[in-house]
mmCIF file of all heavy atoms in Angstrom:
data_model
loop_
_atom_site.group_PDB
_atom_site.id
_atom_site.type_symbol
_atom_site.label_atom_id
_atom_site.label_comp_id
_atom_site.label_asym_id
_atom_site.label_seq_id
_atom_site.Cartn_x
_atom_site.Cartn_y
_atom_site.Cartn_z
ATOM 1 N N MET L 204 -3.023 10.434 -17.624
ATOM 2 C CA MET L 204 -3.267 10.933 -16.287
ATOM 3 C C MET L 204 -3.097 12.449 -16.325
ATOM 4 O O MET L 204 -2.077 12.957 -16.782
ATOM 5 C CB MET L 204 -2.271 10.295 -15.313
ATOM 6 C CG MET L 204 -2.349 10.811 -13.913
ATOM 7 S SD MET L 204 -1.136 10.100 -12.758
ATOM 8 C CE MET L 204 -1.727 8.456 -12.584
ATOM 9 N N SER L 205 -4.088 13.118 -15.834
ATOM 10 C CA SER L 205 -4.018 14.576 -15.813
ATOM 11 C C SER L 205 -3.096 15.034 -14.678
ATOM 12 O O SER L 205 -2.747 14.259 -13.787
ATOM 13 C CB SER L 205 -5.408 15.176 -15.616
ATOM 14 O OG SER L 205 -5.853 14.942 -14.293
ATOM 15 N N HIS L 206 -2.739 16.275 -14.713
ATOM 16 C CA HIS L 206 -1.883 16.841 -13.666
ATOM 17 C C HIS L 206 -2.581 16.776 -12.310
ATOM 18 O O HIS L 206 -1.959 16.442 -11.300
ATOM 19 C CB HIS L 206 -1.500 18.280 -14.011
ATOM 20 C CG HIS L 206 -0.554 18.887 -13.028
ATOM 21 N ND1 HIS L 206 0.746 18.455 -12.903
ATOM 22 C CD2 HIS L 206 -0.722 19.871 -12.106
ATOM 23 C CE1 HIS L 206 1.334 19.153 -11.938
ATOM 24 N NE2 HIS L 206 0.464 20.024 -11.445
ATOM 25 N N LYS L 207 -3.885 17.040 -12.297
ATOM 26 C CA LYS L 207 -4.656 16.990 -11.059
ATOM 27 C C LYS L 207 -4.674 15.562 -10.495
ATOM 28 O O LYS L 207 -4.497 15.356 -9.295
ATOM 29 C CB LYS L 207 -6.077 17.479 -11.326
ATOM 30 C CG LYS L 207 -6.944 17.573 -10.105
ATOM 31 C CD LYS L 207 -8.313 18.131 -10.447
ATOM 32 C CE LYS L 207 -9.189 18.201 -9.215
ATOM 33 N NZ LYS L 207 -10.516 18.745 -9.540
ATOM 34 N N GLU L 208 -4.879 14.586 -11.372
ATOM 35 C CA GLU L 208 -4.863 13.184 -10.936
ATOM 36 C C GLU L 208 -3.486 12.791 -10.412
ATOM 37 O O GLU L 208 -3.368 12.069 -9.426
ATOM 38 C CB GLU L 208 -5.254 12.258 -12.080
ATOM 39 C CG GLU L 208 -6.693 12.364 -12.492
ATOM 40 C CD GLU L 208 -6.994 11.599 -13.752
ATOM 41 O OE1 GLU L 208 -6.129 11.555 -14.660
ATOM 42 O OE2 GLU L 208 -8.098 11.052 -13.853
ATOM 43 N N PHE L 209 -2.447 13.271 -11.094
ATOM 44 C CA PHE L 209 -1.080 12.994 -10.657
ATOM 45 C C PHE L 209 -0.827 13.542 -9.258
ATOM 46 O O PHE L 209 -0.245 12.854 -8.418
ATOM 47 C CB PHE L 209 -0.074 13.582 -11.647
ATOM 48 C CG PHE L 209 1.341 13.494 -11.156
ATOM 49 C CD1 PHE L 209 2.007 12.283 -11.116
ATOM 50 C CD2 PHE L 209 2.003 14.628 -10.715
ATOM 51 C CE1 PHE L 209 3.305 12.199 -10.642
ATOM 52 C CE2 PHE L 209 3.300 14.557 -10.240
ATOM 53 C CZ PHE L 209 3.961 13.337 -10.207
ATOM 54 N N LEU L 210 -1.253 14.765 -9.007
ATOM 55 C CA LEU L 210 -1.042 15.362 -7.687
ATOM 56 C C LEU L 210 -1.794 14.592 -6.600
ATOM 57 O O LEU L 210 -1.264 14.381 -5.506
ATOM 58 C CB LEU L 210 -1.465 16.825 -7.693
ATOM 59 C CG LEU L 210 -0.600 17.759 -8.540
ATOM 60 C CD1 LEU L 210 -1.174 19.169 -8.523
ATOM 61 C CD2 LEU L 210 0.845 17.752 -8.088
ATOM 62 N N LYS L 211 -2.993 14.139 -6.910
ATOM 63 C CA LYS L 211 -3.778 13.347 -5.964
ATOM 64 C C LYS L 211 -3.078 12.007 -5.691
ATOM 65 O O LYS L 211 -2.977 11.567 -4.542
ATOM 66 C CB LYS L 211 -5.180 13.106 -6.522
ATOM 67 C CG LYS L 211 -6.107 12.438 -5.568
ATOM 68 C CD LYS L 211 -7.514 12.346 -6.150
ATOM 69 C CE LYS L 211 -8.448 11.641 -5.191
ATOM 70 N NZ LYS L 211 -9.811 11.545 -5.716
ATOM 71 N N PHE L 212 -2.574 11.373 -6.725
ATOM 72 C CA PHE L 212 -1.840 10.124 -6.591
ATOM 73 C C PHE L 212 -0.571 10.320 -5.759
ATOM 74 O O PHE L 212 -0.281 9.539 -4.857
ATOM 75 C CB PHE L 212 -1.486 9.588 -7.976
ATOM 76 C CG PHE L 212 -0.667 8.334 -7.959
ATOM 77 C CD1 PHE L 212 -1.240 7.114 -7.632
ATOM 78 C CD2 PHE L 212 0.678 8.369 -8.279
ATOM 79 C CE1 PHE L 212 -0.484 5.953 -7.621
ATOM 80 C CE2 PHE L 212 1.443 7.221 -8.268
ATOM 81 C CZ PHE L 212 0.863 6.007 -7.937
ATOM 82 N N LYS L 213 0.144 11.383 -6.045
ATOM 83 C CA LYS L 213 1.382 11.689 -5.324
ATOM 84 C C LYS L 213 1.097 11.920 -3.842
ATOM 85 O O LYS L 213 1.846 11.463 -2.974
ATOM 86 C CB LYS L 213 2.039 12.919 -5.953
ATOM 87 C CG LYS L 213 3.398 13.239 -5.418
ATOM 88 C CD LYS L 213 3.997 14.422 -6.177
ATOM 89 C CE LYS L 213 5.282 14.856 -5.557
ATOM 90 N NZ LYS L 213 5.842 16.027 -6.222
ATOM 91 N N GLU L 214 -0.004 12.601 -3.539
ATOM 92 C CA GLU L 214 -0.405 12.848 -2.160
ATOM 93 C C GLU L 214 -0.750 11.532 -1.452
ATOM 94 O O GLU L 214 -0.385 11.331 -0.292
ATOM 95 C CB GLU L 214 -1.599 13.789 -2.126
ATOM 96 C CG GLU L 214 -2.043 14.165 -0.739
ATOM 97 C CD GLU L 214 -3.231 15.117 -0.759
ATOM 98 O OE1 GLU L 214 -3.226 16.047 -1.582
ATOM 99 O OE2 GLU L 214 -4.144 14.909 0.055
ATOM 100 N N ALA L 215 -1.438 10.648 -2.150
ATOM 101 C CA ALA L 215 -1.804 9.352 -1.564
ATOM 102 C C ALA L 215 -0.548 8.527 -1.252
ATOM 103 O O ALA L 215 -0.462 7.904 -0.184
ATOM 104 C CB ALA L 215 -2.712 8.580 -2.512
ATOM 105 N N ILE L 216 0.420 8.541 -2.135
ATOM 106 C CA ILE L 216 1.678 7.808 -1.907
ATOM 107 C C ILE L 216 2.426 8.402 -0.724
ATOM 108 O O ILE L 216 2.973 7.675 0.112
ATOM 109 C CB ILE L 216 2.555 7.818 -3.177
ATOM 110 C CG1 ILE L 216 1.861 7.054 -4.296
ATOM 111 C CG2 ILE L 216 3.933 7.260 -2.902
ATOM 112 C CD1 ILE L 216 1.584 5.598 -4.006
ATOM 113 N N ALA L 217 2.450 9.705 -0.603
ATOM 114 C CA ALA L 217 3.121 10.355 0.527
ATOM 115 C C ALA L 217 2.436 9.983 1.841
ATOM 116 O O ALA L 217 3.114 9.743 2.855
ATOM 117 C CB ALA L 217 3.125 11.870 0.341
ATOM 118 N N LYS L 218 1.103 9.891 1.834
ATOM 119 C CA LYS L 218 0.366 9.501 3.037
ATOM 120 C C LYS L 218 0.718 8.068 3.437
ATOM 121 O O LYS L 218 0.966 7.784 4.609
ATOM 122 C CB LYS L 218 -1.132 9.622 2.799
ATOM 123 C CG LYS L 218 -1.967 9.234 3.995
ATOM 124 C CD LYS L 218 -3.441 9.339 3.705
ATOM 125 C CE LYS L 218 -4.238 8.847 4.908
ATOM 126 N NZ LYS L 218 -5.656 8.762 4.604
ATOM 127 N N ILE L 219 0.763 7.180 2.464
ATOM 128 C CA ILE L 219 1.136 5.790 2.741
ATOM 129 C C ILE L 219 2.550 5.747 3.306
ATOM 130 O O ILE L 219 2.821 5.027 4.266
ATOM 131 C CB ILE L 219 1.019 4.934 1.467
ATOM 132 C CG1 ILE L 219 -0.446 4.757 1.101
ATOM 133 C CG2 ILE L 219 1.687 3.569 1.652
ATOM 134 C CD1 ILE L 219 -0.677 4.158 -0.266
ATOM 135 N N ASP L 220 3.448 6.507 2.728
ATOM 136 C CA ASP L 220 4.838 6.537 3.193
ATOM 137 C C ASP L 220 4.935 7.035 4.629
ATOM 138 O O ASP L 220 5.714 6.508 5.421
ATOM 139 C CB ASP L 220 5.671 7.422 2.265
ATOM 140 C CG ASP L 220 7.153 7.362 2.582
ATOM 141 O OD1 ASP L 220 7.665 6.238 2.816
ATOM 142 O OD2 ASP L 220 7.792 8.419 2.600
ATOM 143 N N ARG L 221 4.135 8.026 4.991
ATOM 144 C CA ARG L 221 4.153 8.556 6.361
ATOM 145 C C ARG L 221 3.548 7.567 7.362
ATOM 146 O O ARG L 221 4.065 7.373 8.456
ATOM 147 C CB ARG L 221 3.353 9.862 6.447
ATOM 148 C CG ARG L 221 4.039 11.072 5.930
ATOM 149 C CD ARG L 221 3.256 12.341 6.274
ATOM 150 N NE ARG L 221 1.835 12.277 5.949
ATOM 151 C CZ ARG L 221 1.298 12.608 4.777
ATOM 152 N NH1 ARG L 221 2.070 13.038 3.815
ATOM 153 N NH2 ARG L 221 -0.003 12.538 4.589
ATOM 154 N N GLU L 222 2.435 6.948 6.992
ATOM 155 C CA GLU L 222 1.693 6.106 7.931
ATOM 156 C C GLU L 222 2.228 4.689 8.047
ATOM 157 O O GLU L 222 2.037 4.039 9.078
ATOM 158 C CB GLU L 222 0.219 6.067 7.525
ATOM 159 C CG GLU L 222 -0.455 7.411 7.696
ATOM 160 C CD GLU L 222 -1.922 7.379 7.327
ATOM 161 O OE1 GLU L 222 -2.461 6.294 7.051
ATOM 162 O OE2 GLU L 222 -2.522 8.469 7.318
ATOM 163 N N TYR L 223 2.876 4.189 7.029
ATOM 164 C CA TYR L 223 3.339 2.804 7.021
ATOM 165 C C TYR L 223 4.845 2.762 6.779
ATOM 166 O O TYR L 223 5.322 2.074 5.886
ATOM 167 C CB TYR L 223 2.578 2.005 5.955
ATOM 168 C CG TYR L 223 1.090 2.058 6.175
ATOM 169 C CD1 TYR L 223 0.289 2.920 5.436
ATOM 170 C CD2 TYR L 223 0.491 1.285 7.147
ATOM 171 C CE1 TYR L 223 -1.081 2.988 5.657
ATOM 172 C CE2 TYR L 223 -0.877 1.346 7.373
ATOM 173 C CZ TYR L 223 -1.652 2.197 6.623
ATOM 174 O OH TYR L 223 -2.999 2.259 6.845
ATOM 175 N N ASN L 224 5.578 3.485 7.621
ATOM 176 C CA ASN L 224 7.005 3.673 7.406
ATOM 177 C C ASN L 224 7.894 2.670 8.142
ATOM 178 O O ASN L 224 9.099 2.851 8.195
ATOM 179 C CB ASN L 224 7.411 5.102 7.763
ATOM 180 C CG ASN L 224 7.063 5.447 9.194
ATOM 181 O OD1 ASN L 224 6.564 4.620 9.938
ATOM 182 N ND2 ASN L 224 7.335 6.677 9.582
ATOM 183 N N THR L 225 7.327 1.633 8.706
ATOM 184 C CA THR L 225 8.125 0.570 9.312
ATOM 185 C C THR L 225 7.723 -0.748 8.659
ATOM 186 O O THR L 225 6.614 -0.877 8.134
ATOM 187 C CB THR L 225 7.900 0.465 10.831
ATOM 188 O OG1 THR L 225 6.555 0.041 11.073
ATOM 189 C CG2 THR L 225 8.169 1.784 11.534
ATOM 190 N N PRO L 226 8.585 -1.744 8.682
ATOM 191 C CA PRO L 226 8.229 -3.037 8.087
ATOM 192 C C PRO L 226 6.957 -3.642 8.697
ATOM 193 O O PRO L 226 6.143 -4.221 7.975
ATOM 194 C CB PRO L 226 9.443 -3.914 8.377
ATOM 195 C CG PRO L 226 10.575 -2.961 8.502
ATOM 196 C CD PRO L 226 9.990 -1.731 9.129
ATOM 197 N N GLU L 227 6.785 -3.479 9.994
ATOM 198 C CA GLU L 227 5.606 -4.044 10.653
ATOM 199 C C GLU L 227 4.325 -3.370 10.182
ATOM 200 O O GLU L 227 3.330 -4.020 9.878
ATOM 201 C CB GLU L 227 5.727 -3.917 12.181
ATOM 202 C CG GLU L 227 6.856 -4.712 12.781
ATOM 203 C CD GLU L 227 8.220 -4.032 12.667
ATOM 204 O OE1 GLU L 227 8.277 -2.810 12.380
ATOM 205 O OE2 GLU L 227 9.225 -4.728 12.834
ATOM 206 N N LYS L 228 4.365 -2.035 10.108
ATOM 207 C CA LYS L 228 3.188 -1.290 9.651
ATOM 208 C C LYS L 228 2.902 -1.584 8.179
ATOM 209 O O LYS L 228 1.751 -1.722 7.786
ATOM 210 C CB LYS L 228 3.383 0.207 9.855
ATOM 211 C CG LYS L 228 3.323 0.639 11.297
ATOM 212 C CD LYS L 228 3.515 2.138 11.402
ATOM 213 C CE LYS L 228 3.461 2.631 12.818
ATOM 214 N NZ LYS L 228 3.661 4.092 12.884
ATOM 215 N N ALA L 229 3.961 -1.683 7.389
ATOM 216 C CA ALA L 229 3.783 -1.987 5.969
ATOM 217 C C ALA L 229 3.158 -3.369 5.791
ATOM 218 O O ALA L 229 2.250 -3.552 4.976
ATOM 219 C CB ALA L 229 5.117 -1.913 5.245
ATOM 220 N N ARG L 230 3.612 -4.335 6.569
ATOM 221 C CA ARG L 230 3.056 -5.686 6.496
ATOM 222 C C ARG L 230 1.580 -5.678 6.885
ATOM 223 O O ARG L 230 0.749 -6.303 6.204
ATOM 224 C CB ARG L 230 3.827 -6.625 7.418
ATOM 225 C CG ARG L 230 3.381 -8.059 7.346
ATOM 226 C CD ARG L 230 4.333 -8.929 8.184
ATOM 227 N NE ARG L 230 4.061 -10.314 7.994
ATOM 228 C CZ ARG L 230 3.202 -11.026 8.732
ATOM 229 N NH1 ARG L 230 2.565 -10.445 9.734
ATOM 230 N NH2 ARG L 230 2.988 -12.299 8.495
ATOM 231 N N GLU L 231 1.224 -4.955 7.944
ATOM 232 C CA GLU L 231 -0.174 -4.838 8.360
ATOM 233 C C GLU L 231 -1.022 -4.246 7.239
ATOM 234 O O GLU L 231 -2.132 -4.712 6.979
ATOM 235 C CB GLU L 231 -0.295 -3.951 9.602
ATOM 236 C CG GLU L 231 0.207 -4.567 10.873
ATOM 237 C CD GLU L 231 0.166 -3.588 12.045
ATOM 238 O OE1 GLU L 231 -0.573 -2.579 11.963
ATOM 239 O OE2 GLU L 231 0.870 -3.832 13.031
ATOM 240 N N TRP L 232 -0.515 -3.225 6.570
ATOM 241 C CA TRP L 232 -1.255 -2.583 5.485
ATOM 242 C C TRP L 232 -1.439 -3.540 4.316
ATOM 243 O O TRP L 232 -2.528 -3.628 3.739
ATOM 244 C CB TRP L 232 -0.532 -1.306 5.051
ATOM 245 C CG TRP L 232 -1.246 -0.572 3.964
ATOM 246 C CD1 TRP L 232 -2.420 0.105 4.069
ATOM 247 C CD2 TRP L 232 -0.832 -0.447 2.610
ATOM 248 N NE1 TRP L 232 -2.752 0.654 2.857
ATOM 249 C CE2 TRP L 232 -1.796 0.327 1.939
ATOM 250 C CE3 TRP L 232 0.270 -0.899 1.904
ATOM 251 C CZ2 TRP L 232 -1.694 0.647 0.601
ATOM 252 C CZ3 TRP L 232 0.369 -0.574 0.560
ATOM 253 C CH2 TRP L 232 -0.606 0.186 -0.072
ATOM 254 N N LEU L 233 -0.386 -4.275 3.956
ATOM 255 C CA LEU L 233 -0.492 -5.224 2.853
ATOM 256 C C LEU L 233 -1.490 -6.335 3.160
ATOM 257 O O LEU L 233 -2.218 -6.796 2.272
ATOM 258 C CB LEU L 233 0.878 -5.804 2.523
ATOM 259 C CG LEU L 233 1.851 -4.821 1.877
ATOM 260 C CD1 LEU L 233 3.252 -5.433 1.804
ATOM 261 C CD2 LEU L 233 1.375 -4.401 0.507
ATOM 262 N N ILE L 234 -1.562 -6.750 4.417
ATOM 263 C CA ILE L 234 -2.564 -7.736 4.824
ATOM 264 C C ILE L 234 -3.954 -7.108 4.745
ATOM 265 O O ILE L 234 -4.897 -7.725 4.245
ATOM 266 C CB ILE L 234 -2.258 -8.285 6.230
ATOM 267 C CG1 ILE L 234 -1.004 -9.161 6.191
ATOM 268 C CG2 ILE L 234 -3.441 -9.074 6.783
ATOM 269 C CD1 ILE L 234 -0.467 -9.573 7.546
ATOM 270 N N LYS L 235 -4.071 -5.878 5.214
ATOM 271 C CA LYS L 235 -5.362 -5.177 5.219
ATOM 272 C C LYS L 235 -5.937 -5.033 3.813
ATOM 273 O O LYS L 235 -7.138 -5.227 3.598
ATOM 274 C CB LYS L 235 -5.191 -3.801 5.862
ATOM 275 C CG LYS L 235 -6.444 -2.965 5.904
ATOM 276 C CD LYS L 235 -6.175 -1.611 6.534
ATOM 277 C CE LYS L 235 -7.379 -0.714 6.466
ATOM 278 N NZ LYS L 235 -7.088 0.619 6.994
ATOM 279 N N ILE L 236 -5.097 -4.709 2.835
ATOM 280 C CA ILE L 236 -5.590 -4.531 1.475
ATOM 281 C C ILE L 236 -5.687 -5.851 0.713
ATOM 282 O O ILE L 236 -6.139 -5.882 -0.422
ATOM 283 C CB ILE L 236 -4.741 -3.514 0.681
ATOM 284 C CG1 ILE L 236 -3.312 -4.008 0.472
ATOM 285 C CG2 ILE L 236 -4.789 -2.144 1.329
ATOM 286 C CD1 ILE L 236 -2.500 -3.165 -0.502
ATOM 287 N N GLY L 237 -5.248 -6.947 1.332
ATOM 288 C CA GLY L 237 -5.400 -8.262 0.728
ATOM 289 C C GLY L 237 -4.256 -8.735 -0.133
ATOM 290 O O GLY L 237 -4.343 -9.772 -0.771
ATOM 291 N N TYR L 238 -3.164 -7.982 -0.177
ATOM 292 C CA TYR L 238 -2.026 -8.405 -0.988
ATOM 293 C C TYR L 238 -1.239 -9.523 -0.310
ATOM 294 O O TYR L 238 -0.610 -10.316 -0.982
ATOM 295 C CB TYR L 238 -1.110 -7.226 -1.321
ATOM 296 C CG TYR L 238 -0.059 -7.615 -2.333
ATOM 297 C CD1 TYR L 238 -0.409 -7.802 -3.665
ATOM 298 C CD2 TYR L 238 1.254 -7.826 -1.959
ATOM 299 C CE1 TYR L 238 0.545 -8.193 -4.596
ATOM 300 C CE2 TYR L 238 2.205 -8.209 -2.879
ATOM 301 C CZ TYR L 238 1.855 -8.391 -4.197
ATOM 302 O OH TYR L 238 2.790 -8.783 -5.105
ATOM 303 N N LEU L 239 -1.277 -9.567 1.019
ATOM 304 C CA LEU L 239 -0.670 -10.668 1.769
ATOM 305 C C LEU L 239 -1.755 -11.330 2.595
ATOM 306 O O LEU L 239 -2.699 -10.686 3.024
ATOM 307 C CB LEU L 239 0.419 -10.159 2.724
ATOM 308 C CG LEU L 239 1.677 -9.551 2.123
ATOM 309 C CD1 LEU L 239 2.608 -9.076 3.228
ATOM 310 C CD2 LEU L 239 2.389 -10.534 1.216
ATOM 311 N N ASN L 240 -1.603 -12.642 2.833
ATOM 312 C CA ASN L 240 -2.532 -13.292 3.751
ATOM 313 C C ASN L 240 -1.945 -13.212 5.157
ATOM 314 O O ASN L 240 -0.869 -12.654 5.363
ATOM 315 C CB ASN L 240 -2.862 -14.722 3.315
ATOM 316 C CG ASN L 240 -1.645 -15.576 3.102
ATOM 317 O OD1 ASN L 240 -0.617 -15.351 3.720
ATOM 318 N ND2 ASN L 240 -1.750 -16.560 2.226
ATOM 319 N N SER L 241 -2.643 -13.734 6.131
ATOM 320 C CA SER L 241 -2.247 -13.543 7.533
ATOM 321 C C SER L 241 -0.889 -14.119 7.891
ATOM 322 O O SER L 241 -0.257 -13.689 8.844
ATOM 323 C CB SER L 241 -3.315 -14.116 8.462
ATOM 324 O OG SER L 241 -3.456 -15.503 8.234
ATOM 325 N N ASP L 242 -0.406 -15.096 7.121
ATOM 326 C CA ASP L 242 0.928 -15.649 7.417
ATOM 327 C C ASP L 242 2.030 -14.959 6.627
ATOM 328 O O ASP L 242 3.184 -15.388 6.631
ATOM 329 C CB ASP L 242 0.951 -17.156 7.222
ATOM 330 C CG ASP L 242 0.726 -17.579 5.787
ATOM 331 O OD1 ASP L 242 0.409 -16.716 4.961
ATOM 332 O OD2 ASP L 242 0.868 -18.785 5.506
ATOM 333 N N GLY L 243 1.691 -13.882 5.909
ATOM 334 C CA GLY L 243 2.696 -13.091 5.210
ATOM 335 C C GLY L 243 3.010 -13.575 3.818
ATOM 336 O O GLY L 243 3.922 -13.049 3.176
ATOM 337 N N GLN L 244 2.268 -14.532 3.301
ATOM 338 C CA GLN L 244 2.489 -15.051 1.961
ATOM 339 C C GLN L 244 1.591 -14.327 0.952
ATOM 340 O O GLN L 244 0.524 -13.849 1.296
ATOM 341 C CB GLN L 244 2.189 -16.556 1.924
ATOM 342 C CG GLN L 244 3.054 -17.372 2.855
ATOM 343 C CD GLN L 244 4.508 -17.324 2.459
ATOM 344 O OE1 GLN L 244 4.847 -17.507 1.290
ATOM 345 N NE2 GLN L 244 5.383 -17.081 3.414
ATOM 346 N N VAL L 245 2.034 -14.299 -0.277
ATOM 347 C CA VAL L 245 1.233 -13.704 -1.347
ATOM 348 C C VAL L 245 0.142 -14.709 -1.716
ATOM 349 O O VAL L 245 0.443 -15.869 -2.014
ATOM 350 C CB VAL L 245 2.101 -13.375 -2.580
ATOM 351 C CG1 VAL L 245 1.258 -12.839 -3.712
ATOM 352 C CG2 VAL L 245 3.181 -12.391 -2.206
ATOM 353 N N PRO L 246 -1.127 -14.303 -1.679
ATOM 354 C CA PRO L 246 -2.214 -15.212 -2.027
ATOM 355 C C PRO L 246 -2.099 -15.730 -3.470
ATOM 356 O O PRO L 246 -1.511 -15.082 -4.333
ATOM 357 C CB PRO L 246 -3.478 -14.360 -1.879
ATOM 358 C CG PRO L 246 -3.087 -13.244 -1.000
ATOM 359 C CD PRO L 246 -1.637 -12.999 -1.278
ATOM 360 N N GLU L 247 -2.683 -16.863 -3.704
ATOM 361 C CA GLU L 247 -2.618 -17.509 -5.019
ATOM 362 C C GLU L 247 -3.097 -16.597 -6.141
ATOM 363 O O GLU L 247 -2.522 -16.600 -7.227
ATOM 364 C CB GLU L 247 -3.458 -18.791 -5.002
ATOM 365 C CG GLU L 247 -3.322 -19.636 -6.231
ATOM 366 C CD GLU L 247 -1.936 -20.225 -6.414
ATOM 367 O OE1 GLU L 247 -1.292 -20.608 -5.416
ATOM 368 O OE2 GLU L 247 -1.486 -20.307 -7.576
ATOM 369 N N LYS L 248 -4.126 -15.790 -5.890
ATOM 370 C CA LYS L 248 -4.666 -14.937 -6.963
ATOM 371 C C LYS L 248 -3.679 -13.898 -7.470
ATOM 372 O O LYS L 248 -3.849 -13.350 -8.550
ATOM 373 C CB LYS L 248 -5.961 -14.266 -6.522
ATOM 374 C CG LYS L 248 -5.813 -13.250 -5.400
ATOM 375 C CD LYS L 248 -7.160 -12.666 -5.020
ATOM 376 C CE LYS L 248 -7.032 -11.667 -3.905
ATOM 377 N NZ LYS L 248 -8.317 -11.105 -3.527
ATOM 378 N N PHE L 249 -2.616 -13.599 -6.709
ATOM 379 C CA PHE L 249 -1.605 -12.627 -7.139
ATOM 380 C C PHE L 249 -0.330 -13.287 -7.669
ATOM 381 O O PHE L 249 0.593 -12.595 -8.067
ATOM 382 C CB PHE L 249 -1.228 -11.685 -5.988
ATOM 383 C CG PHE L 249 -2.354 -10.781 -5.588
ATOM 384 C CD1 PHE L 249 -2.908 -10.873 -4.317
ATOM 385 C CD2 PHE L 249 -2.864 -9.841 -6.446
ATOM 386 C CE1 PHE L 249 -3.943 -10.047 -3.916
ATOM 387 C CE2 PHE L 249 -3.901 -8.998 -6.073
ATOM 388 C CZ PHE L 249 -4.439 -9.108 -4.812
ATOM 389 N N ARG L 250 -0.282 -14.600 -7.660
ATOM 390 C CA ARG L 250 0.928 -15.284 -8.159
ATOM 391 C C ARG L 250 0.902 -15.454 -9.624
ATOM 392 O O ARG L 250 -0.019 -15.474 -10.301
ATOM 393 C CB ARG L 250 1.056 -16.660 -7.485
ATOM 394 C CG ARG L 250 1.348 -16.539 -6.037
ATOM 395 C CD ARG L 250 1.537 -17.873 -5.428
ATOM 396 N NE ARG L 250 1.464 -17.702 -3.981
ATOM 397 C CZ ARG L 250 1.439 -18.686 -3.129
ATOM 398 N NH1 ARG L 250 1.492 -19.916 -3.551
ATOM 399 N NH2 ARG L 250 1.367 -18.441 -1.863
#
C-alpha cells in the first residue's frame, strides 16, 4: 500500500467513525453494506 493509498484509507475510516458513531448508526451501516441482515444476524456467506 502506497502512502497515498494509506492516507485515502485513513480518511475513509475517519469518515465512517464520524458518521456511524452510535451503535444504531453502525448497525444501519452494517446492514446497508450487507454484513448484517435485517434481523442483525451475520448472513451465512460470512460465517
Side-chain angles (χ1 to χ4, degrees):
M204 175 182 290
S205 71
H206 184 68
K207 184 177 179 180
E208 291 171 324
F209 172 73
L210 292 177
K211 186 175 179 180
F212 177 74
K213 187 176 173 183
E214 183 179 318
I216 295 299
K218 180 181 176 188
I219 290 169
D220 187 44
R221 282 189 311 272
E222 293 181 6
Y223 303 100
N224 58 2
T225 66
E227 295 81 15
K228 288 180 180 180
R230 184 173 188 270
E231 288 175 19
W232 181 70
L233 290 171
I234 290 170
K235 179 181 175 184
I236 65 170
Y238 189 74
L239 294 178
N240 54 28
S241 61
D242 65 352
Q244 300 295 312
V245 177
E247 188 66 37
K248 66 181 180 180
F249 293 116
R250 292 183 195 172

